[in-house]
Amino acid sequence: MGKQAPIGVFDSGVGGLTVAREIMRQIPNERIIYFGDTARVPYGSKSQFTIIRFVRQIVHFLETKEVKAIVVACNTASAYALETIERELKIPIIGVVKPGARTAVRTTVNGRIGVIATDATINSGMYTRFIQGINPDLAVYGKACPLFVPLVEEGMLHDFVTEEIANRYLEDLKKQDIDTLILGCTHYPLLRSLIGKCMGVSVQLVNPAYETAISLRELLKEKELLADPLPEGQMVHHEFYVSDGAEKFEIFANSILPYDIRKTQVIDIEGY
Ligand code: DGL
């Protein structure tokens, strides 16, 4: 695969756009093929078996686009399917959980880390495994916040209802004296200011998307796959695919990306 080939980035829906956004900012020469599984979102309440099946189909689709590497821009899919899928693939694949865990370990001072994520990510215990794999003395407190996903998808980022729900979800974590909180679901960075307000200034919020883009750049460099800049005057052209609701996806994507999407294509992912 040549270094000018695109990167495949996927999520269960729009959340992974927060990761695509970081990749666009940090490695702007890379061309992205994004897939959002909008017909089957949420993944966070599904079983590992189902998520592995979905991820296999998405990876097959991205392979038809001849991507040189894949980013699993979904915590749930990273937690449940990455270890299985990477054994089946010839191209490099990275997820968001490991980079997020690494940043949290570097960030904490008092050794007490919180993780908020979907039910599946919390139940997988992946964040705890990676964090304690680096330093077994660190304490990790997880809390599933399933309602955050639909609230973000409805655009209720600064709504008093979202704030009330955040206060309820985060009440227990606030009692654990954590100094670092991982936003362990790709939708949650969009609630950053609200969550920050609720947790207070003494708690550092970790967005795994940022570190994932850094890890991707390092990986591409190591494999000599970093894309060269395009000739003067030419722009990188990203592509966007979903399994349903292209119009809604596009409105959301255009509101958060530093890139103007003109066309989102719907594909039948069950066919892959
Ligand atoms: N993108 C998912 C994640 O990061 C959240 C949405 C879902 O449940 O599918 O875990």
Side-chain angles (χ1 to χ4, degrees):
M1 205 70 65
K3 59 183 178 177
Q4 295 310 109
I7 308 279
V9 179
F10 75 89
D11 176 44
S12 53
V14 295
L17 291 167
T18 59
V19 181
R21 179 171 67 178
E22 279 306 324
I23 297 171
M24 288 176 188
R25 280 180 185 154
Q26 294 189 37
I27 22 181
N29 296 329
E30 299 301 333
R31 190 154 63 87
I32 293 173
I33 308 278
Y34 185 93
F35 174 74
D37 202 356
T38 44
R40 306 188 293 193
V41 68
Y43 281 10
S45 51
K46 298 198 169 61
S47 69
Q48 182 167 24
F49 178 83
T50 299
I51 289 168
I52 291 176
R53 184 172 77 81
F54 289 174
V55 171
R56 265 200 195 107
Q57 291 173 329
I58 297 168
V59 164
H60 288 159
F61 163 68
L62 292 172
E63 282 178 322
T64 67
K65 297 285 164 193
E66 305 199 324
V67 295
K68 64 183 174 189
I70 294 178
V71 178
V72 185
C74 172
N75 288 265
T76 306
S78 300
Y80 267 177
L82 183 60
E83 283 183 350
T84 304
I85 301 297
E86 69 184 346
R87 286 197 291 269
E88 301 171 4
L89 264 184
K90 289 205 180 71
I91 55 170
I93 181 165
I94 62 166
V96 286
V97 173
K98 223 185 239 179
R102 267 202 308 262
T103 318
V105 172
R106 271 205 313 269
T107 307
T108 186
V109 176
N110 74 358
R112 302 171 75 81
I113 299 171
V115 181
I116 50 173
T118 62
D119 282 306
T121 302
I122 295 298
N123 292 340
S124 77
M126 253 339 167
Y127 270 106
T128 309
R129 209 179 99 192
F130 284 133
I131 290 168
Q132 294 182 338
I134 303 171
N135 182 350
D137 294 333
L138 299 177
V140 186
Y141 302 92
K143 173 75 187 169
C145 305
L147 286 175
F148 281 171
V149 169
L151 289 166
V152 167
E153 304 231 335
E154 286 305 314
M156 294 167 70
L157 306 183
H158 305 284
D159 197 282
F160 74 95
V161 172
T162 313
E163 194 166 336
E164 174 59 29
I165 289 169
N167 281 325
R168 286 207 210 176
Y169 275 150
L170 301 175
E171 205 179 336
D172 288 345
L173 275 182
K174 279 164 94 171
K175 293 183 194 143
Q176 302 298 343
D177 188 31
I178 56 167
D179 70 350
T180 303
L181 179 63
I182 301 176
L183 306 178
C185 169
T186 47
H187 286 63
Y188 300 179
L190 298 167
L191 296 175
R192 192 184 180 106
S193 60
L194 194 140
I195 294 168
K197 189 171 148 201
C198 182
M199 293 306 293
V201 285
S202 59
V203 177
Q204 300 290 321
L205 303 183
V206 170
N207 175 6
Y210 182 79
E211 191 74 13
T212 301
I214 295 175
S215 300
L216 176 65
R217 190 184 49 216
E218 282 165 4
L219 177 79
L220 295 175
K221 198 169 167 209
E222 180 198 311
K223 306 248 178 232
E224 298 186 353
L225 282 174
L226 264 180
D228 292 328
L230 288 178
E232 185 88 18
Q234 277 189 37
M235 279 197 26
V236 176
H237 176 72
H238 307 293
E239 290 175 35
F240 295 84
Y241 298 86
V242 289
S243 44
D244 201 6
E247 205 175 316
K248 192 174 175 201
F249 171 89
E250 205 166 287
I251 292 168
F252 192 96
N254 279 327
S255 74
I256 70 157
L257 287 182
Y259 180 83
D260 190 21
I261 307 178
R262 300 268 161 80
K263 189 164 179 253
T264 302
Q265 293 180 56
V266 179
I267 59 155
D268 175 14
I269 195 66
E270 290 287 353
Y272 287 88

